[in-house]
Amino acid sequence: MSDDTDLPGSSCYLDERTFRLSCGLFLEHSHSLNDGWAWKEVNGSEAEGYMKKTVMVSCQVSGMPYQSSQSKPVEASDALMEDEQGFPNCGMEEAGGEQTAVAEGQPVVRYEYHVLYSCSYQIPVLYFRASTLEGRSLSLDEVWNNVHPNYQQRLRQGPWDTITQQEHPLLGQPFSCCTRVGRRSS
Amino acid sequence: MADDKDVLRDVWFGRIPTCFMLYQDEVTEREAEPFYLLLPRVSYLTLVTDKVKKHFLKVMKQEDVEEMWFEYEGTPLKWHYPIGVLFDLHASNTALPWSVTVHFKSFPERDLLHCPSNSVIEAHFMSGIKEADALKHKGQVINDMQKKDHKQLWMGLQNDKFDQFWAMNRKLMEYPTEEGGFRYIPFRIYQAMSERPFIQKLFRPVSPEGQPYTLGDLLKEMCPSALPQDDEPKRYQVVIHGIEPMLETPVQWLSEHLSHPDNFLHISIIPVPSD
């Protein structure tokens, strides 16, 4: 179907089959680490699906910027709900530096991460959404405020130029999407 | 061909007569009258409803007004879908004018994208054009255009200027003659009853032997249930811009002539009305 060996830098692109195979390997690895990623089928069709991970995190939801001085370091597992993996730094996997500190009495926020395949661009795309336990979606500002300041700057510099709201192509609901703005025309 | 150019104009100037009514639970200082407007099929709700907002704000207090959103018979309307698609999908076999309910409270966060400004609409529109070009030309045509050319596409849509828009858009409709068509056809198939918002997959307009694929071929591969099976009576209508093109129509021709300004072919599959 999508034979793109003629694309410049074709190693950057993957066809859908390679995406599924790569997901399989990724999920095996995740499973061995007990990291919580799972495959979700679309409409019971084995051929189509995406990777999903749900994380419960203690976060700031008042819209106030992150203030590490107010909180105390906590083991990731202390912030866990049953069957969910706590994931400090709100999804940022980079090591180095202490884990995002979590203060007692902080509201818990649910982060959902989905990795889908884009057949138009032939790359995987990351979608995510954050909501309170009552189901209220976090605004983009609130999401940014919960990214550790160390990572905020790096993220804003790219290659992920922006986080935008997009319709999830398989669920039809609003998600946030890390988009690469790419080459800017003159 | 002169006829084909006419098609481009007919598509661009398609309109839907719409009646906007304020949701009954909104708090008003006096009764709100309905507001009537001809909506361009090829545009987006939040781009063309400033007058609607102004009309209803006349009878409301500022503190009772949050982000405006629209709903038809209980279904929140996705502003980021072209207006014509929303109508065809939800209301095509109902009496005109299209009755749309206007809300200023309780924005449905789980269903609708926010639209705080026109630049959000522009970004969404341009990202559609870029994605379509990625499919048609690996993005080469859109990337070779300058920023001012991109702006011209947007301004053409925003200001309803057919000539301004098509002066640029014609470049996005070109292809190497030896190829017989685009690399892949940008399309989305919508079904009102489906959980999935749309079907979008890779589809070449021409077979390896050089035969043009038709609308019927596209549906057979992407949405076979939409097509009548053998002797069964027709259960679904395949609608583009409010009409049912013949299934024998080549998809390359459809892509060049019946695409929306975002360069996508938006196809609605709706049940045949039972009357």
Side-chain angles (χ1 to χ4, degrees), chain A residues 1-4 6-7 42-43 48 119-122 129 131 135 137 165-174 183 185-186, chain B residues 78 80-81 109-114 127 130-131 134-135 138 143 145-147 150 183-184 196-198 200-202 204 221:
Chain A
M1 250 235 234
S2 51
D3 199 358
D4 292 298
D6 53 340
L7 272 175
V42 178
N43 294 338
E48 252 191 307
C119 62
S120 304
Y121 293 109
Q122 313 215 290
R129 75 177 160 189
S131 51
S137 298
Q165 224 196 2
Q166 306 269 337
E167 178 184 35
H168 189 291
L170 298 173
L171 301 180
Q173 294 175 338
R183 267 174 52 189
S185 325
S186 49
Chain B
K78 296 182 178 181
H80 67 288
Y81 285 8
E109 301 274 346
R110 290 301 252 197
D111 300 303
L112 298 184
L113 303 178
H114 283 284
S127 110
K130 285 172 187 170
E131 184 179 354
L135 288 164
K138 298 186 204 171
N143 282 337
M145 285 183 181
Q146 300 189 346
K147 199 160 186 174
H150 293 181
R183 185 155 187 264
Y184 297 109
R196 188 185 185 134
F198 53 79
Q200 180 186 340
K201 298 195 185 138
L202 295 178
R204 291 197 191 273
E221 180 152 341

Side-chain angles (χ1 to χ4, degrees), chain B residues 178-194:
Chain B
E178 66 271 16
E179 300 293 330
F182 304 133
R183 185 155 187 264
Y184 297 109
I185 300 289
F187 73 89
R188 290 199 176 142
I189 299 174
Y190 304 86
Q191 282 180 285
M193 291 304 126
S194 174

Side-chain angles (χ1 to χ4, degrees), chain A residues 63-82:
Chain A
M64 299 294 286
Y66 178 86
Q67 287 167 19
S68 55
S69 55
Q70 284 182 354
S71 32
K72 57 189 187 206
V74 165
E75 281 302 315
S77 53
D78 288 2
L80 288 187
M81 303 276 289
E82 208 179 315

